[in-house]
Amino acid sequence: MDDDKFDAIVVGAGPAGSAAALTMAKAGLSVVLIERGDKPGAKNVMGGVLFREATEAVFGPLWGNAPLERYVIEQKLWLLGANSVVNAGYRTQDFESPPYNAFTVLRAHLDPWFAKQAEDAGAYLIPETQVTDLLSENGKITGVRTGREGDLFADVVIDAEGINAFAAVKAGLRKDFTMENAALAVKEVHALPAETINQRFNVRGDQGVTILLTGEFAHGMMGSGWIYTNRDTVSIGFGAIVSHMVETKIRPNDLIEELKAHPAVKPLLEGSEIKEYMAHLIPEVRFEELPRPYGDGYMLVGDAAGFVNFMYQEGSNLAIASGRMAGETAVAAKEKADFSARSLELYGRKLDDSFVMKDLHDLRKAPAFFRSHRQFFDVYPRILNEAARMFLTVDDTPKKVRRGEIFRMLRSKRPLWKIGRDMVDALRALW
Ligand SMILES: Cc1cc2nc3c(=O)[nH]c(=O)nc-3n(C[C@H](O)[C@H](O)[C@H](O)COP(=O)(O)OP(=O)(O)OC[C@H]3O[C@@H](n4cnc5c(N)ncnc54)[C@H](O)[C@@H]3O)c2cc1C
């Protein structure tokens, strides 16, 4: 491509950008996909669980084609006490056969594959190139300014820069997300032989397990940790609202160390070698503060638009689905030769009709609820662990007396009326 005018420019080759580029290239549009990393995924971080359906709707069958780690057959929730754990989980044979439900992934392997699908469909990938500015004329976005390639022009720019979206913020398409609207997450990848992982997590072959963790180690912050099994590594991480991290003055790597030292966690990682340490922000934007994701000549997709469902730990599927919908909208706009905000409003309607906006709207009260009910992250896990210890300790105490002791312990940690009110608030906010 010699010309510097294209049908579409996509900024950022993460899941959202590659999904948008692939959708448009397949429909015959001339598409440039610009990535600042030396290759897609070089600096990208995710827990990470990839959800099959939304991903396959864009990239086709995954298992056997994409560089996946394991297919997830079991999901656990661990509520950690100081030296104990109360756990819940679900394991099923239904997730043990193709097409599977979800996969563990490492982004450094996955993102190049996503981008390659877009390239194979005809998109032109430009790596190692940062978009420094979005260009505009009479209020319409007309192209991008890059450090290496100079100015490039297009009928539409799809901004898939991820959470910081510096170019989009600079151009006034979105505000900066505040410390209240973002979580800081840190993650380590630990190498272990596949057979050791299988034994420790009670799986075989390519089966995988995810563990979501919260409790005392979170120091009352609105946050959670995770442990995911990969092929021959284990990912462990923790994320919490940035303002809570600042308030507690705990360094994220101290939190990870604390988590790794917990007696329930330590045996899972024993003898492992740390291969990678990463930190990244995750949008946790209040519904009413989400930016309008389109305007004259542009659309915002994925994290750049704040599309993360923090309650369900979902981001990649929202990114890919929004990338696809933005791509489809650009194709429709090209047919009408109209890239105005009125034409691109179709993207807004597609989002509203999809799980992306329906889920974010459904959970719109959750961020405020959890910010004002932080007892769910420390007090309740502590009470549950204490109650379990008392209930399961066998000694000379008659059971009826023990039940009374548990009831008194419960009341001493949190008055019953407050527990009742918390449960009603939870139902109102989350159901
Ligand atoms: C620690 C952590 C754990 C997570 N776990 C999960 C999980 O288990 N499951 C899940 O579904 N989601 C998870 N998420 C969320 C998920 O990773 C994101 O929602 C998803 O990656 C968003 O994709 P994206 O393409 O919008 O943005 P990104 O993945 O951030 O990609 C943006 C891309 O744009 C490039 N870029 C940025 N600025 C420029 C520029 N100016 N010029 C050129 N290129 C640029 C970047 O280098 C990057 O490649 C997690 C996130 C984090 C941080």
mmCIF file with all atom_site columns, all heavy atoms in Angstrom, residues 70-76 91 104 201-203 207-211 227-230:
data_model
loop_
_atom_site.group_PDB
_atom_site.id
_atom_site.type_symbol
_atom_site.label_atom_id
_atom_site.label_alt_id
_atom_site.label_comp_id
_atom_site.label_asym_id
_atom_site.label_entity_id
_atom_site.label_seq_id
_atom_site.pdbx_PDB_ins_code
_atom_site.Cartn_x
_atom_site.Cartn_y
_atom_site.Cartn_z
_atom_site.occupancy
_atom_site.B_iso_or_equiv
_atom_site.pdbx_formal_charge
_atom_site.auth_seq_id
_atom_site.auth_comp_id
_atom_site.auth_asym_id
_atom_site.auth_atom_id
_atom_site.pdbx_PDB_model_num
ATOM 1   N N   . ARG A 1 70  ? -4.679  -23.975 28.340 1.00 0.00 ? 70  ARG A N   1
ATOM 2   C CA  . ARG A 1 70  ? -5.506  -25.120 28.737 1.00 0.00 ? 70  ARG A CA  1
ATOM 3   C C   . ARG A 1 70  ? -6.981  -24.745 28.601 1.00 0.00 ? 70  ARG A C   1
ATOM 4   O O   . ARG A 1 70  ? -7.322  -23.569 28.618 1.00 0.00 ? 70  ARG A O   1
ATOM 5   C CB  . ARG A 1 70  ? -5.236  -25.500 30.209 1.00 0.00 ? 70  ARG A CB  1
ATOM 6   C CG  . ARG A 1 70  ? -3.857  -26.105 30.442 1.00 0.00 ? 70  ARG A CG  1
ATOM 7   C CD  . ARG A 1 70  ? -3.583  -26.240 31.933 1.00 0.00 ? 70  ARG A CD  1
ATOM 8   N NE  . ARG A 1 70  ? -2.255  -26.779 32.172 1.00 0.00 ? 70  ARG A NE  1
ATOM 9   C CZ  . ARG A 1 70  ? -2.010  -28.012 32.630 1.00 0.00 ? 70  ARG A CZ  1
ATOM 10  N NH1 . ARG A 1 70  ? -3.006  -28.841 32.909 1.00 0.00 ? 70  ARG A NH1 1
ATOM 11  N NH2 . ARG A 1 70  ? -0.772  -28.425 32.817 1.00 0.00 ? 70  ARG A NH2 1
ATOM 12  N N   . TYR A 1 71  ? -7.857  -25.769 28.476 1.00 0.00 ? 71  TYR A N   1
ATOM 13  C CA  . TYR A 1 71  ? -9.298  -25.482 28.522 1.00 0.00 ? 71  TYR A CA  1
ATOM 14  C C   . TYR A 1 71  ? -9.767  -25.643 29.968 1.00 0.00 ? 71  TYR A C   1
ATOM 15  O O   . TYR A 1 71  ? -9.346  -26.553 30.670 1.00 0.00 ? 71  TYR A O   1
ATOM 16  C CB  . TYR A 1 71  ? -10.093 -26.364 27.544 1.00 0.00 ? 71  TYR A CB  1
ATOM 17  C CG  . TYR A 1 71  ? -9.931  -27.851 27.709 1.00 0.00 ? 71  TYR A CG  1
ATOM 18  C CD1 . TYR A 1 71  ? -10.742 -28.570 28.589 1.00 0.00 ? 71  TYR A CD1 1
ATOM 19  C CD2 . TYR A 1 71  ? -8.971  -28.542 26.977 1.00 0.00 ? 71  TYR A CD2 1
ATOM 20  C CE1 . TYR A 1 71  ? -10.592 -29.945 28.734 1.00 0.00 ? 71  TYR A CE1 1
ATOM 21  C CE2 . TYR A 1 71  ? -8.805  -29.910 27.115 1.00 0.00 ? 71  TYR A CE2 1
ATOM 22  C CZ  . TYR A 1 71  ? -9.625  -30.605 28.000 1.00 0.00 ? 71  TYR A CZ  1
ATOM 23  O OH  . TYR A 1 71  ? -9.472  -31.960 28.152 1.00 0.00 ? 71  TYR A OH  1
ATOM 24  N N   . VAL A 1 72  ? -10.612 -24.703 30.386 1.00 0.00 ? 72  VAL A N   1
ATOM 25  C CA  . VAL A 1 72  ? -10.991 -24.626 31.799 1.00 0.00 ? 72  VAL A CA  1
ATOM 26  C C   . VAL A 1 72  ? -12.142 -25.591 32.093 1.00 0.00 ? 72  VAL A C   1
ATOM 27  O O   . VAL A 1 72  ? -13.200 -25.511 31.463 1.00 0.00 ? 72  VAL A O   1
ATOM 28  C CB  . VAL A 1 72  ? -11.401 -23.183 32.165 1.00 0.00 ? 72  VAL A CB  1
ATOM 29  C CG1 . VAL A 1 72  ? -11.842 -23.096 33.626 1.00 0.00 ? 72  VAL A CG1 1
ATOM 30  C CG2 . VAL A 1 72  ? -10.247 -22.220 31.888 1.00 0.00 ? 72  VAL A CG2 1
ATOM 31  N N   . ILE A 1 73  ? -11.916 -26.490 33.051 1.00 0.00 ? 73  ILE A N   1
ATOM 32  C CA  . ILE A 1 73  ? -12.994 -27.406 33.437 1.00 0.00 ? 73  ILE A CA  1
ATOM 33  C C   . ILE A 1 73  ? -13.491 -27.131 34.854 1.00 0.00 ? 73  ILE A C   1
ATOM 34  O O   . ILE A 1 73  ? -14.501 -27.659 35.272 1.00 0.00 ? 73  ILE A O   1
ATOM 35  C CB  . ILE A 1 73  ? -12.554 -28.893 33.346 1.00 0.00 ? 73  ILE A CB  1
ATOM 36  C CG1 . ILE A 1 73  ? -11.411 -29.184 34.335 1.00 0.00 ? 73  ILE A CG1 1
ATOM 37  C CG2 . ILE A 1 73  ? -12.197 -29.282 31.931 1.00 0.00 ? 73  ILE A CG2 1
ATOM 38  C CD1 . ILE A 1 73  ? -11.350 -30.652 34.717 1.00 0.00 ? 73  ILE A CD1 1
ATOM 39  N N   . GLU A 1 74  ? -12.747 -26.322 35.603 1.00 0.00 ? 74  GLU A N   1
ATOM 40  C CA  . GLU A 1 74  ? -13.134 -26.085 36.992 1.00 0.00 ? 74  GLU A CA  1
ATOM 41  C C   . GLU A 1 74  ? -12.854 -24.631 37.365 1.00 0.00 ? 74  GLU A C   1
ATOM 42  O O   . GLU A 1 74  ? -11.781 -24.095 37.073 1.00 0.00 ? 74  GLU A O   1
ATOM 43  C CB  . GLU A 1 74  ? -12.347 -27.018 37.923 1.00 0.00 ? 74  GLU A CB  1
ATOM 44  C CG  . GLU A 1 74  ? -12.797 -26.916 39.356 1.00 0.00 ? 74  GLU A CG  1
ATOM 45  C CD  . GLU A 1 74  ? -12.205 -28.009 40.249 1.00 0.00 ? 74  GLU A CD  1
ATOM 46  O OE1 . GLU A 1 74  ? -11.259 -28.686 39.811 1.00 0.00 ? 74  GLU A OE1 1
ATOM 47  O OE2 . GLU A 1 74  ? -12.701 -28.160 41.371 1.00 0.00 ? 74  GLU A OE2 1
ATOM 48  N N   . GLN A 1 75  ? -13.848 -24.008 38.008 1.00 0.00 ? 75  GLN A N   1
ATOM 49  C CA  . GLN A 1 75  ? -13.668 -22.642 38.506 1.00 0.00 ? 75  GLN A CA  1
ATOM 50  C C   . GLN A 1 75  ? -13.914 -22.641 40.006 1.00 0.00 ? 75  GLN A C   1
ATOM 51  O O   . GLN A 1 75  ? -14.939 -23.159 40.463 1.00 0.00 ? 75  GLN A O   1
ATOM 52  C CB  . GLN A 1 75  ? -14.657 -21.701 37.813 1.00 0.00 ? 75  GLN A CB  1
ATOM 53  C CG  . GLN A 1 75  ? -14.269 -21.420 36.379 1.00 0.00 ? 75  GLN A CG  1
ATOM 54  C CD  . GLN A 1 75  ? -15.389 -20.810 35.598 1.00 0.00 ? 75  GLN A CD  1
ATOM 55  O OE1 . GLN A 1 75  ? -16.159 -21.502 34.955 1.00 0.00 ? 75  GLN A OE1 1
ATOM 56  N NE2 . GLN A 1 75  ? -15.497 -19.505 35.660 1.00 0.00 ? 75  GLN A NE2 1
ATOM 57  N N   . LYS A 1 76  ? -12.959 -22.082 40.751 1.00 0.00 ? 76  LYS A N   1
ATOM 58  C CA  . LYS A 1 76  ? -13.079 -22.096 42.211 1.00 0.00 ? 76  LYS A CA  1
ATOM 59  C C   . LYS A 1 76  ? -13.080 -20.674 42.747 1.00 0.00 ? 76  LYS A C   1
ATOM 60  O O   . LYS A 1 76  ? -12.490 -19.769 42.154 1.00 0.00 ? 76  LYS A O   1
ATOM 61  C CB  . LYS A 1 76  ? -11.891 -22.817 42.834 1.00 0.00 ? 76  LYS A CB  1
ATOM 62  C CG  . LYS A 1 76  ? -11.736 -24.264 42.390 1.00 0.00 ? 76  LYS A CG  1
ATOM 63  C CD  . LYS A 1 76  ? -10.611 -24.879 43.187 1.00 0.00 ? 76  LYS A CD  1
ATOM 64  C CE  . LYS A 1 76  ? -10.182 -26.206 42.605 1.00 0.00 ? 76  LYS A CE  1
ATOM 65  N NZ  . LYS A 1 76  ? -9.248  -26.921 43.426 1.00 0.00 ? 76  LYS A NZ  1
ATOM 66  N N   . ARG A 1 91  ? -17.060 -27.848 38.912 1.00 0.00 ? 91  ARG A N   1
ATOM 67  C CA  . ARG A 1 91  ? -16.283 -28.617 37.935 1.00 0.00 ? 91  ARG A CA  1
ATOM 68  C C   . ARG A 1 91  ? -17.277 -29.458 37.150 1.00 0.00 ? 91  ARG A C   1
ATOM 69  O O   . ARG A 1 91  ? -18.186 -30.045 37.740 1.00 0.00 ? 91  ARG A O   1
ATOM 70  C CB  . ARG A 1 91  ? -15.299 -29.513 38.699 1.00 0.00 ? 91  ARG A CB  1
ATOM 71  C CG  . ARG A 1 91  ? -14.402 -30.354 37.811 1.00 0.00 ? 91  ARG A CG  1
ATOM 72  C CD  . ARG A 1 91  ? -13.449 -31.154 38.692 1.00 0.00 ? 91  ARG A CD  1
ATOM 73  N NE  . ARG A 1 91  ? -12.613 -32.022 37.904 1.00 0.00 ? 91  ARG A NE  1
ATOM 74  C CZ  . ARG A 1 91  ? -11.294 -32.059 37.972 1.00 0.00 ? 91  ARG A CZ  1
ATOM 75  N NH1 . ARG A 1 91  ? -10.647 -31.284 38.819 1.00 0.00 ? 91  ARG A NH1 1
ATOM 76  N NH2 . ARG A 1 91  ? -10.596 -32.869 37.210 1.00 0.00 ? 91  ARG A NH2 1
ATOM 77  N N   . THR A 1 104 ? -7.353  -20.807 29.306 1.00 0.00 ? 104 THR A N   1
ATOM 78  C CA  . THR A 1 104 ? -6.314  -19.941 29.852 1.00 0.00 ? 104 THR A CA  1
ATOM 79  C C   . THR A 1 104 ? -5.370  -19.582 28.698 1.00 0.00 ? 104 THR A C   1
ATOM 80  O O   . THR A 1 104 ? -5.161  -20.392 27.785 1.00 0.00 ? 104 THR A O   1
ATOM 81  C CB  . THR A 1 104 ? -5.534  -20.624 30.997 1.00 0.00 ? 104 THR A CB  1
ATOM 82  O OG1 . THR A 1 104 ? -5.057  -21.896 30.549 1.00 0.00 ? 104 THR A OG1 1
ATOM 83  C CG2 . THR A 1 104 ? -6.410  -20.786 32.221 1.00 0.00 ? 104 THR A CG2 1
ATOM 84  N N   . PHE A 1 201 ? -3.257  -29.491 40.883 1.00 0.00 ? 201 PHE A N   1
ATOM 85  C CA  . PHE A 1 201 ? -4.588  -28.925 40.640 1.00 0.00 ? 201 PHE A CA  1
ATOM 86  C C   . PHE A 1 201 ? -5.613  -30.003 40.283 1.00 0.00 ? 201 PHE A C   1
ATOM 87  O O   . PHE A 1 201 ? -6.746  -29.683 39.901 1.00 0.00 ? 201 PHE A O   1
ATOM 88  C CB  . PHE A 1 201 ? -4.510  -27.874 39.533 1.00 0.00 ? 201 PHE A CB  1
ATOM 89  C CG  . PHE A 1 201 ? -3.787  -26.614 39.958 1.00 0.00 ? 201 PHE A CG  1
ATOM 90  C CD1 . PHE A 1 201 ? -2.401  -26.538 39.888 1.00 0.00 ? 201 PHE A CD1 1
ATOM 91  C CD2 . PHE A 1 201 ? -4.488  -25.521 40.443 1.00 0.00 ? 201 PHE A CD2 1
ATOM 92  C CE1 . PHE A 1 201 ? -1.727  -25.392 40.273 1.00 0.00 ? 201 PHE A CE1 1
ATOM 93  C CE2 . PHE A 1 201 ? -3.820  -24.364 40.837 1.00 0.00 ? 201 PHE A CE2 1
ATOM 94  C CZ  . PHE A 1 201 ? -2.440  -24.296 40.761 1.00 0.00 ? 201 PHE A CZ  1
ATOM 95  N N   . ASN A 1 202 ? -5.203  -31.261 40.401 1.00 0.00 ? 202 ASN A N   1
ATOM 96  C CA  . ASN A 1 202 ? -6.116  -32.384 40.167 1.00 0.00 ? 202 ASN A CA  1
ATOM 97  C C   . ASN A 1 202 ? -6.746  -32.349 38.773 1.00 0.00 ? 202 ASN A C   1
ATOM 98  O O   . ASN A 1 202 ? -7.962  -32.393 38.617 1.00 0.00 ? 202 ASN A O   1
ATOM 99  C CB  . ASN A 1 202 ? -7.216  -32.385 41.264 1.00 0.00 ? 202 ASN A CB  1
ATOM 100 C CG  . ASN A 1 202 ? -8.073  -33.629 41.189 1.00 0.00 ? 202 ASN A CG  1
ATOM 101 O OD1 . ASN A 1 202 ? -7.627  -34.667 40.684 1.00 0.00 ? 202 ASN A OD1 1
ATOM 102 N ND2 . ASN A 1 202 ? -9.306  -33.537 41.648 1.00 0.00 ? 202 ASN A ND2 1
ATOM 103 N N   . VAL A 1 203 ? -5.897  -32.221 37.760 1.00 0.00 ? 203 VAL A N   1
ATOM 104 C CA  . VAL A 1 203 ? -6.364  -32.268 36.375 1.00 0.00 ? 203 VAL A CA  1
ATOM 105 C C   . VAL A 1 203 ? -5.425  -33.161 35.570 1.00 0.00 ? 203 VAL A C   1
ATOM 106 O O   . VAL A 1 203 ? -4.385  -33.595 36.075 1.00 0.00 ? 203 VAL A O   1
ATOM 107 C CB  . VAL A 1 203 ? -6.388  -30.855 35.722 1.00 0.00 ? 203 VAL A CB  1
ATOM 108 C CG1 . VAL A 1 203 ? -7.520  -30.014 36.268 1.00 0.00 ? 203 VAL A CG1 1
ATOM 109 C CG2 . VAL A 1 203 ? -5.047  -30.131 35.891 1.00 0.00 ? 203 VAL A CG2 1
ATOM 110 N N   . GLN A 1 207 ? -6.422  -30.101 30.625 1.00 0.00 ? 207 GLN A N   1
ATOM 111 C CA  . GLN A 1 207 ? -7.462  -29.523 31.488 1.00 0.00 ? 207 GLN A CA  1
ATOM 112 C C   . GLN A 1 207 ? -6.876  -28.423 32.360 1.00 0.00 ? 207 GLN A C   1
ATOM 113 O O   . GLN A 1 207 ? -5.739  -28.511 32.813 1.00 0.00 ? 207 GLN A O   1
ATOM 114 C CB  . GLN A 1 207 ? -8.049  -30.605 32.398 1.00 0.00 ? 207 GLN A CB  1
ATOM 115 C CG  . GLN A 1 207 ? -8.755  -31.714 31.630 1.00 0.00 ? 207 GLN A CG  1
ATOM 116 C CD  . GLN A 1 207 ? -9.196  -32.838 32.535 1.00 0.00 ? 207 GLN A CD  1
ATOM 117 O OE1 . GLN A 1 207 ? -8.683  -32.991 33.651 1.00 0.00 ? 207 GLN A OE1 1
ATOM 118 N NE2 . GLN A 1 207 ? -10.140 -33.630 32.065 1.00 0.00 ? 207 GLN A NE2 1
ATOM 119 N N   . GLY A 1 208 ? -7.705  -27.402 32.616 1.00 0.00 ? 208 GLY A N   1
ATOM 120 C CA  . GLY A 1 208 ? -7.219  -26.277 33.427 1.00 0.00 ? 208 GLY A CA  1
ATOM 121 C C   . GLY A 1 208 ? -8.194  -25.879 34.514 1.00 0.00 ? 208 GLY A C   1
ATOM 122 O O   . GLY A 1 208 ? -9.379  -26.232 34.485 1.00 0.00 ? 208 GLY A O   1
ATOM 123 N N   . VAL A 1 209 ? -7.653  -25.120 35.475 1.00 0.00 ? 209 VAL A N   1
ATOM 124 C CA  . VAL A 1 209 ? -8.423  -24.693 36.643 1.00 0.00 ? 209 VAL A CA  1
ATOM 125 C C   . VAL A 1 209 ? -8.212  -23.194 36.843 1.00 0.00 ? 209 VAL A C   1
ATOM 126 O O   . VAL A 1 209 ? -7.109  -22.685 36.632 1.00 0.00 ? 209 VAL A O   1
ATOM 127 C CB  . VAL A 1 209 ? -7.925  -25.435 37.906 1.00 0.00 ? 209 VAL A CB  1
ATOM 128 C CG1 . VAL A 1 209 ? -8.598  -24.905 39.164 1.00 0.00 ? 209 VAL A CG1 1
ATOM 129 C CG2 . VAL A 1 209 ? -8.144  -26.934 37.771 1.00 0.00 ? 209 VAL A CG2 1
ATOM 130 N N   . THR A 1 210 ? -9.269  -22.490 37.254 1.00 0.00 ? 210 THR A N   1
ATOM 131 C CA  . THR A 1 210 ? -9.098  -21.097 37.666 1.00 0.00 ? 210 THR A CA  1
ATOM 132 C C   . THR A 1 210 ? -9.533  -20.966 39.124 1.00 0.00 ? 210 THR A C   1
ATOM 133 O O   . THR A 1 210 ? -10.504 -21.596 39.538 1.00 0.00 ? 210 THR A O   1
ATOM 134 C CB  . THR A 1 210 ? -9.955  -20.127 36.815 1.00 0.00 ? 210 THR A CB  1
ATOM 135 O OG1 . THR A 1 210 ? -11.341 -20.371 37.052 1.00 0.00 ? 210 THR A OG1 1
ATOM 136 C CG2 . THR A 1 210 ? -9.651  -20.266 35.346 1.00 0.00 ? 210 THR A CG2 1
ATOM 137 N N   . ILE A 1 211 ? -8.783  -20.170 39.877 1.00 0.00 ? 211 ILE A N   1
ATOM 138 C CA  . ILE A 1 211 ? -9.152  -19.900 41.272 1.00 0.00 ? 211 ILE A CA  1
ATOM 139 C C   . ILE A 1 211 ? -9.229  -18.385 41.440 1.00 0.00 ? 211 ILE A C   1
ATOM 140 O O   . ILE A 1 211 ? -8.259  -17.672 41.159 1.00 0.00 ? 211 ILE A O   1
ATOM 141 C CB  . ILE A 1 211 ? -8.113  -20.470 42.266 1.00 0.00 ? 211 ILE A CB  1
ATOM 142 C CG1 . ILE A 1 211 ? -7.841  -21.954 41.987 1.00 0.00 ? 211 ILE A CG1 1
ATOM 143 C CG2 . ILE A 1 211 ? -8.597  -20.277 43.706 1.00 0.00 ? 211 ILE A CG2 1
ATOM 144 C CD1 . ILE A 1 211 ? -6.737  -22.554 42.855 1.00 0.00 ? 211 ILE A CD1 1
ATOM 145 N N   . ILE A 1 227 ? -5.518  -17.335 40.468 1.00 0.00 ? 227 ILE A N   1
ATOM 146 C CA  . ILE A 1 227 ? -4.484  -18.309 40.119 1.00 0.00 ? 227 ILE A CA  1
ATOM 147 C C   . ILE A 1 227 ? -5.035  -19.104 38.932 1.00 0.00 ? 227 ILE A C   1
ATOM 148 O O   . ILE A 1 227 ? -6.133  -19.668 39.031 1.00 0.00 ? 227 ILE A O   1
ATOM 149 C CB  . ILE A 1 227 ? -4.194  -19.275 41.295 1.00 0.00 ? 227 ILE A CB  1
ATOM 150 C CG1 . ILE A 1 227 ? -3.680  -18.492 42.506 1.00 0.00 ? 227 ILE A CG1 1
ATOM 151 C CG2 . ILE A 1 227 ? -3.193  -20.351 40.890 1.00 0.00 ? 227 ILE A CG2 1
ATOM 152 C CD1 . ILE A 1 227 ? -3.526  -19.344 43.760 1.00 0.00 ? 227 ILE A CD1 1
ATOM 153 N N   . TYR A 1 228 ? -4.314  -19.095 37.822 1.00 0.00 ? 228 TYR A N   1
ATOM 154 C CA  . TYR A 1 228 ? -4.766  -19.811 36.630 1.00 0.00 ? 228 TYR A CA  1
ATOM 155 C C   . TYR A 1 228 ? -3.681  -20.793 36.188 1.00 0.00 ? 228 TYR A C   1
ATOM 156 O O   . TYR A 1 228 ? -2.495  -20.442 36.159 1.00 0.00 ? 228 TYR A O   1
ATOM 157 C CB  . TYR A 1 228 ? -5.043  -18.845 35.466 1.00 0.00 ? 228 TYR A CB  1
ATOM 158 C CG  . TYR A 1 228 ? -6.143  -17.815 35.723 1.00 0.00 ? 228 TYR A CG  1
ATOM 159 C CD1 . TYR A 1 228 ? -6.159  -16.618 35.018 1.00 0.00 ? 228 TYR A CD1 1
ATOM 160 C CD2 . TYR A 1 228 ? -7.168  -18.054 36.633 1.00 0.00 ? 228 TYR A CD2 1
ATOM 161 C CE1 . TYR A 1 228 ? -7.156  -15.668 35.217 1.00 0.00 ? 228 TYR A CE1 1
ATOM 162 C CE2 . TYR A 1 228 ? -8.166  -17.116 36.844 1.00 0.00 ? 228 TYR A CE2 1
ATOM 163 C CZ  . TYR A 1 228 ? -8.160  -15.925 36.143 1.00 0.00 ? 228 TYR A CZ  1
ATOM 164 O OH  . TYR A 1 228 ? -9.139  -14.982 36.343 1.00 0.00 ? 228 TYR A OH  1
ATOM 165 N N   . THR A 1 229 ? -4.106  -21.983 35.793 1.00 0.00 ? 229 THR A N   1
ATOM 166 C CA  . THR A 1 229 ? -3.135  -22.960 35.305 1.00 0.00 ? 229 THR A CA  1
ATOM 167 C C   . THR A 1 229 ? -2.932  -22.783 33.805 1.00 0.00 ? 229 THR A C   1
ATOM 168 O O   . THR A 1 229 ? -3.894  -22.760 33.039 1.00 0.00 ? 229 THR A O   1
ATOM 169 C CB  . THR A 1 229 ? -3.628  -24.399 35.553 1.00 0.00 ? 229 THR A CB  1
ATOM 170 O OG1 . THR A 1 229 ? -4.918  -24.541 34.947 1.00 0.00 ? 229 THR A OG1 1
ATOM 171 C CG2 . THR A 1 229 ? -3.724  -24.705 37.033 1.00 0.00 ? 229 THR A CG2 1
ATOM 172 N N   . ASN A 1 230 ? -1.685  -22.654 33.396 1.00 0.00 ? 230 ASN A N   1
ATOM 173 C CA  . ASN A 1 230 ? -1.336  -22.678 31.971 1.00 0.00 ? 230 ASN A CA  1
ATOM 174 C C   . ASN A 1 230 ? -0.697  -24.028 31.688 1.00 0.00 ? 230 ASN A C   1
ATOM 175 O O   . ASN A 1 230 ? -0.644  -24.905 32.552 1.00 0.00 ? 230 ASN A O   1
ATOM 176 C CB  . ASN A 1 230 ? -0.380  -21.529 31.652 1.00 0.00 ? 230 ASN A CB  1
ATOM 177 C CG  . ASN A 1 230 ? -0.983  -20.185 32.059 1.00 0.00 ? 230 ASN A CG  1
ATOM 178 O OD1 . ASN A 1 230 ? -2.154  -19.939 31.790 1.00 0.00 ? 230 ASN A OD1 1
ATOM 179 N ND2 . ASN A 1 230 ? -0.202  -19.351 32.727 1.00 0.00 ? 230 ASN A ND2 1
#
